[in-house]
Amino acid sequence: MLWFIVWTVLVVGTLVGAFFLLRKIYRSGQALASELGRASDVVAEVAERAEQLAAAADRAGALAPVNLIDPEPARARRAESALATALRRAARAARHEQTYRRWRALSR
């Protein structure tokens, strides 16, 4: 009779352990499916943004090669680039100056 009780406890214990294991696997599968759905949404957003950036790059136009026989267009393009760089530098310096003034006002 003792062997029957021992084997019954072992079988019931195994069934209970299998239940908890299967429940954990099922819940992990549900969480994985949820994350895969979210990942597919993110991939779709990234693809859409990549298309927008590619279209913007096409609109901006590619840089044409420089004809070294006639350097004037290259000089003009370099002057435009230098002007844009100077404008960005001046705007950044103005932002920094505003920030420094705000910091000085806070430290008083």
Side-chain angles (χ1 to χ4, degrees):
M1 182 70 177
L2 179 64
W3 64 269
F4 180 75
I5 294 173
V6 169
W7 280 103
T8 303
V9 168
L10 289 175
V11 169
V12 170
T14 302
L15 291 176
V16 169
F19 167 76
F20 285 118
L21 178 65
L22 290 175
R23 184 178 71 171
K24 180 177 181 174
I25 291 172
Y26 177 73
R27 289 180 177 174
S28 296
Q30 283 182 329
L32 176 64
S34 172
E35 286 299 315
L36 288 176
R38 194 173 69 83
S40 68
D41 293 340
V42 169
V43 167
E45 290 175 12
V46 167
E48 181 181 330
R49 180 67 177 147
E51 289 175 5
Q52 291 173 355
L53 291 175
D58 288 342
R59 283 192 305 272
L63 292 177
V66 176
N67 184 359
L68 295 178
I69 295 172
D70 185 18
E72 282 307 311
R75 287 185 182 134
R77 193 167 70 195
R78 181 164 167 90
E80 289 174 10
S81 176
L83 178 63
T85 300
L87 291 174
R88 286 193 308 269
R89 186 175 291 138
R92 186 172 51 246
R95 285 193 316 268
H96 288 182
E97 185 58 37
Q98 288 175 349
T99 302
Y100 297 150
R101 271 191 255 122
R102 191 171 56 240
W103 287 352
R104 280 188 221 117
L106 290 175
S107 67
R108 292 180 189 181

